[in-house]
Structure formats: C-alpha cells, structure tokens
Amino acid sequence: MAKTHQRVGHLYVISGPSGAGKGTVCKELLRTHDVHLSTSMTTRNPRPGEVDGIEYFFVSHEEFEEHIANGDMLEYAKVFDNYYGTPKDAVLRHLKRGRDVILEIDVQGGLQIKKKMPEEAILIFLLPPDLDTLYDRIVGRGTESKADIDRRFNEARNEIKLIGEYDYYVVNGVVADAANDIASIMNAESHRVPERVSELIKLYDE
Amino acid sequence: MAKTHQRVGHLYVISGPSGAGKGTVCKELLRTHDVHLSTSMTTRNPRPGEVDGIEYFFVSHEEFEEHIANGDMLEYAKVFDNYYGTPKDAVLRHLKRGRDVILEIDVQGGLQIKKKMPEEAILIFLLPPDLDTLYDRIVGRGTESKADIDRRFNEARNEIKLIGEYDYYVVNGVVADAANDIASIMNAESHRVPERVSELIKLYDE
C-alpha cells in the first residue's frame, strides 16, 4: 500500500448539555472504532461499582489543587463542591503517537480546550433531537427533584446557545447513527490536506 | 424525528491527475450514495456508445462559445482543439433544492471553481497510492504512444503539486474505500455548524 506522511492524532471534544447522551454515544463509538477516550479526574466520591482509573481518576481536593497549580490539567471546573477535569499528560502522549483522542466533557470545558489548543482541537456538539426529548431524558434519570430537573433543563437550553463556538454538530436521535456521524467526522478530518503540504507532495516526487 | 433547519446542498469538486481514478470512484459513489453528478459539456465528438446528456452534452464549437459569452459556464478549458466545461444552470438548481452536487473535473477546473465559489465549493483531491501505480494506470489504457504516456505522467506529477489548494485528499488504492472516504467527507460537511447559527438555535428555543 501507499506510504503515508507522518501524522499526529486529532483531539476531539464531544460535548453537549446533559440529556444529549454524550456518555452513551461515546461508549458506542469506543465499541466500534479505534479511539482513545480520555479519563477525567474528579474529587467526588466513587459511586457503587465505579473503579479508579476507569470511570474517573478519584483524587483528594489537595491532590487536584496541586495538579492545577502544576499546570497538569487541560481543563477543569468546580461544580458545587467538587472538581472535575482532564489530565494533560495522557492526552498529549496519545496524540504524539498518532492516535485520535476523545474528550467527553461539558460545554464550558469544551470552550476551555478550544482556547488552549485552537489548532489541534475539533469540537463536536451533541444535540438532543428536540426539547421534549431533552426534557424526557433529564426526567428519565429519576434521581432528581422537580427543581433540579428544571434547573438542568434551563441550563441545557442555555448551553445550546453556545453551539456557534463549535465546529460540528450531531443530533443524537438514534445512538448508533450519532456514533457513525462522529466517526465520519473523524475520518473526514484525517483526510484534510495538511498545513505542511510538502511532506505529502514529497511522496509523489521522486 | 427532529425538525432540521433549511439547508442548501454542498458543491464537491473531485479532481486529481489522470490515473487517479476519478471516473471509477465517482461511479461507485453514485451507485452507493444519493448525490447528483454534474454532466459536463464538450465540443469533441462522441465515441462509440457515448450518449448525449449522459457522458457529456455534445455541442458545436459555436454553441460552446455562445455559452461562454453568456456566462453559462462555471468553468471551462480548451484542451488541444476541444472545449470541456461545466454548465452552471443544473448545478445551481440542484444546490438550491438542498442536493449535494459532484463535479468530476481536472485540477485546473477545480481551481477555477474555488475562485468562483469559495464559500460553496469543497475541493477533494484524488491521489494514486504511489507513482508506480500511477504510471501503470496511465499505461493500462493502452491507447497511447510512449511519448503521450510520458507527457501524461509528467503532467500528473505537476498537478499533484497543486494539492495545497485543496481541502481534502483521498488516496485511491481500493475504489470502494476511496468512495467511502468521500462519502465520509460529505457526511461530515453536512454536520458543520453553519455560519448562520441562529436558525439552528431557534429549533431549541421555545
């Protein structure tokens, strides 16, 4: 087959409001495609069944703040009393090896990544099919009070207004379709003519 | 399902040097995907089996020059004694209806389209897997003298140097794979967050 020019991986941010289905779609994408999903770090307690290093890296407040101070985090946020964030090291290591990396993070986190890595990051906004479905999905978790549900729903609607900052949007009606659309985007981006086109031309210049 | 905002079709230019396999890949793409392939116009004589309106619109020199004078052509070129070009009308009609249109044209034609429709046109460069394969494919046509073959081969190599003007590149080793890669690009482009994002946001704002 063809020689190919050396490539670094792409960094994909998949975000969207709660109820868009980020978690489900990313799980499906991992099942069907060879990508690396970054594991986030948090100070919240593990829920029953959650394993350190799988769902999250679970650390203490002190550790997290040390990572922030050391510049180890690509992005982070404090939600109520807990920190959530993306450790930089593993992400950069996979990218250097030419592997695509996915960050499944909230909209604010996505915008932090865009600011920090405008060249590398490709931002995908996951949308629910419509507002009724969004509401049903938030209710469907069944763990929250009416007030919490309404707060989440309003937050979601406000977050959707930030979609103009994103590169692509995918509507998550059917999970497998949404995962395929994201895979298409990743495949297309890997076929973009690179900035440094000379390496590509050299392959056809004896 | 979700309402979607009104969209116009995208205009895809698929070009590349002779020997890249434009014709074969476009045929495969048409077989497997719902796109409109624009029919070119030419003044050359139809070969045995070629039908007016299918392979080309076959017209006289006078007619072609009238079309040029009237501004009816999106792009055109004179190759030796004959004109080849893309009639504007049908292309714009399909785009307005929201249908994606493919132009299978040579590299110079692609650059004309880019200049004329920088907002609408998405340029895909089809590459052979390597120079040996390119040479074999040019020889494989079996209709040309050694001098013609060498001329085509050198032209092809020079055209590849223009790849930096293109948006995407696809290596055509296996035809079905190349057609799928192009389909991925088309799918990804249809998921781009539009310039006028307000129409999209409105769908989620009651």
Side-chain angles (χ1 to χ4, degrees), chain A residues 1-5 123 125 127-132 153 157 160-171 173-174 180-181 183-194 197 200-201 203-206, chain B residues 1-5 123 125 127-132 153 157 160-171 173-174 180-181 183-194 197 200-201 203-206:
Chain A
M1 255 311 287
K3 298 164 282 183
T4 50
H5 63 292
L123 277 75
F125 201 103
L127 283 168
D130 49 54
L131 282 181
D132 288 347
F153 184 63
R157 287 172 52 200
I160 289 174
K161 291 180 182 141
L162 299 172
I163 198 169
E165 301 291 319
Y166 277 66
D167 299 305
Y168 296 97
Y169 70 98
V170 167
V171 176
V174 176
N180 272 335
D181 286 338
S184 273
I185 292 166
M186 297 173 71
N187 190 34
E189 286 288 341
S190 75
H191 286 88
R192 223 168 240 299
V193 173
V197 77
L200 187 56
I201 292 174
L203 298 177
Y204 295 91
D205 202 21
E206 53 205 10
Chain B
M1 256 312 286
K3 299 163 282 183
T4 50
H5 65 292
L123 278 75
F125 200 103
L127 283 169
D130 50 53
L131 282 181
D132 288 347
F153 184 63
R157 286 172 52 201
I160 290 173
K161 291 180 182 141
L162 298 172
I163 198 169
E165 300 291 319
Y166 278 66
D167 300 306
Y168 296 98
Y169 70 98
V170 167
V171 176
V174 176
N180 272 335
D181 286 338
S184 273
I185 291 168
M186 298 174 69
N187 189 35
E189 286 289 341
S190 75
H191 286 88
R192 222 171 241 298
V193 173
V197 78
L200 186 57
I201 292 174
L203 298 177
Y204 296 91
D205 202 19
E206 52 204 11

Side-chain angles (χ1 to χ4, degrees), chain A:
Chain A
M1 255 311 287
K3 298 164 282 183
T4 50
H5 63 292
Q6 194 65 31
R7 76 178 279 263
V8 279
H10 288 114
L11 178 62
Y12 294 94
V13 170
I14 299 183
S15 57
S18 55
K22 296 187 288 293
T24 328
V25 169
C26 285
K27 212 173 274 176
E28 175 67 13
L29 195 61
L30 280 187
R31 209 178 58 77
T32 51
H33 293 83
D34 177 40
V35 286
H36 172 75
L37 179 67
S38 158
T39 305
S40 297
M41 188 173 277
T42 184
T43 56
R44 82 153 164 74
N45 290 323
R47 294 180 191 138
E50 286 185 338
V51 178
D52 184 42
I54 302 294
E55 282 81 6
Y56 285 96
F57 293 109
F58 296 100
V59 299
S60 69
H61 270 76
E62 294 66 38
E63 278 181 88
F64 204 109
E65 285 171 351
E66 217 179 286
H67 283 306
I68 296 172
N70 291 342
D72 296 342
M73 307 305 287
L74 261 185
E75 57 81 36
Y76 69 93
K78 200 166 188 179
V79 182
F80 300 106
D81 284 338
N82 282 306
Y83 285 113
Y84 295 82
T86 305
K88 186 155 51 178
D89 242 30
V91 170
L92 299 188
R93 212 167 52 237
H94 279 96
L95 291 179
K96 255 186 210 154
R97 282 191 205 145
R99 194 131 188 253
D100 289 336
V101 174
I102 288 182
L103 307 185
E104 177 210 327
I105 52 181
D106 66 13
V107 177
Q108 299 297 342
L111 297 182
Q112 282 186 54
I113 297 288
K114 187 185 173 179
K115 224 178 196 169
K116 238 176 188 164
M117 305 177 75
E119 300 291 310
E120 295 89 347
I122 297 153
L123 277 75
I124 303 174
F125 201 103
L126 202 64
L127 283 168
D130 49 54
L131 282 181
D132 288 347
T133 310
L134 178 68
Y135 194 81
D136 290 348
R137 284 183 189 168
I138 294 175
V139 170
R141 306 186 168 189
T143 52
E144 289 171 326
S145 68
K146 175 82 171 76
D148 281 342
I149 288 169
D150 287 347
R151 183 184 48 77
R152 266 191 201 275
F153 184 63
N154 287 326
E155 255 178 37
R157 287 172 52 200
N158 281 326
E159 282 174 351
I160 289 174
K161 291 180 182 141
L162 299 172
I163 198 169
E165 301 291 319
Y166 277 66
D167 299 305
Y168 296 97
Y169 70 98
V170 167
V171 176
N172 177 24
V174 176
V175 171
D177 292 347
N180 272 335
D181 286 338
I182 293 172
S184 273
I185 292 166
M186 297 173 71
N187 190 34
E189 286 288 341
S190 75
H191 286 88
R192 223 168 240 299
V193 173
E195 287 285 314
R196 280 166 41 204
V197 77
S198 55
E199 289 174 33
L200 187 56
I201 292 174
K202 225 188 308 169
L203 298 177
Y204 295 91
D205 202 21
E206 53 205 10

